[in-house]
Amino acid sequence: MIPHSVFLIALENNPLGSIDPRYFIAGGLCASISHGITTPVDVVKTRIQSDPQKYDGLNVLEASKVVVNDDGSGALLKGFGPTVTGYGLEGAAKFGIYESLKPVFVGYLETNSAFIIASVVAGGVASVILCPLERTRIRLVTD
């Protein structure tokens, strides 16, 4: 068991009060832009996965034409809102939490495993944030 005084020393040396919001902003912007741009491809991929018989033997371009013919060109942007919001929050959490936790874990562990642990924690939190919005996106695309 780690003595209480070790936690106090670690918090004095690197409190979470030194969180830099630029990591959260940069991660959120980059993730929302990169996933927002690829929404049409993601729509086609989700449609192919949800109805494999309908799109059997079609490549992505041919499947895209089927989606547009069936539902109009606007169908390629279905789920854009939840995609941009969800991945924006996910990217902000992933990068911001990782950069905030790195110095904390390095203070405790003083090994390279601190970076791995920080990334696992950040990725786990980000995934939990993303899941409800990803589910919403899939429902919008498949309904």
Side-chain angles (χ1 to χ4, degrees), residues 4-14:
H4 181 66
S5 60
V6 172
F7 289 109
L8 293 177
I9 292 168
L11 289 175
E12 286 174 9
N13 292 338
N14 194 359

Side-chain angles (χ1 to χ4, degrees), residues 13 26 54 64-65 71 79 83 87 89 111 115:
N13 292 338
K54 182 175 183 177
S64 299
K65 289 178 183 176
D71 299 324
T83 297
Y87 281 99
L89 293 171
T111 67
F115 300 108

Side-chain angles (χ1 to χ4, degrees), residues 14-46:
N14 194 359
L16 285 177
S18 64
I19 293 173
D20 189 345
R22 293 179 297 175
Y23 295 122
F24 291 89
I25 294 167
L29 281 174
C30 291
S32 63
I33 291 169
S34 65
H35 284 82
I37 289 171
T38 61
T39 297
V41 175
D42 205 24
V43 167
V44 174
K45 174 204 60 117
T46 304

Side-chain angles (χ1 to χ4, degrees), residues 125-139:
V125 171
S127 295
V128 169
I129 291 169
L130 175 63
C131 280
L133 289 156
E134 184 65 6
R135 183 176 182 183
T136 302
R137 180 199 68 80
I138 291 169
R139 283 189 175 178

Side-chain angles (χ1 to χ4, degrees), residues 2 6-7 9-16 18 97-119 121:
I2 299 173
V6 172
F7 289 109
I9 292 168
L11 289 175
E12 286 174 9
N13 292 338
N14 194 359
L16 285 177
S18 64
I97 292 171
Y98 172 70
E99 292 295 337
S100 300
L101 289 179
K102 269 194 320 189
V104 173
F105 286 125
V106 166
Y108 289 133
L109 302 174
E110 297 179 8
T111 67
N112 285 337
S113 63
F115 300 108
I116 295 169
I117 294 169
S119 68
V121 171

Side-chain angles (χ1 to χ4, degrees), residues 40-73:
V41 175
D42 205 24
V43 167
V44 174
K45 174 204 60 117
T46 304
R47 292 279 184 100
I48 291 170
Q49 290 174 330
S50 67
D51 192 357
Q53 289 82 19
K54 182 175 183 177
Y55 300 98
D56 187 38
L58 300 179
N59 63 36
V60 175
L61 187 58
E62 293 167 341
S64 299
K65 289 178 183 176
V66 171
V67 171
V68 170
N69 287 337
D70 289 352
D71 299 324
S73 59

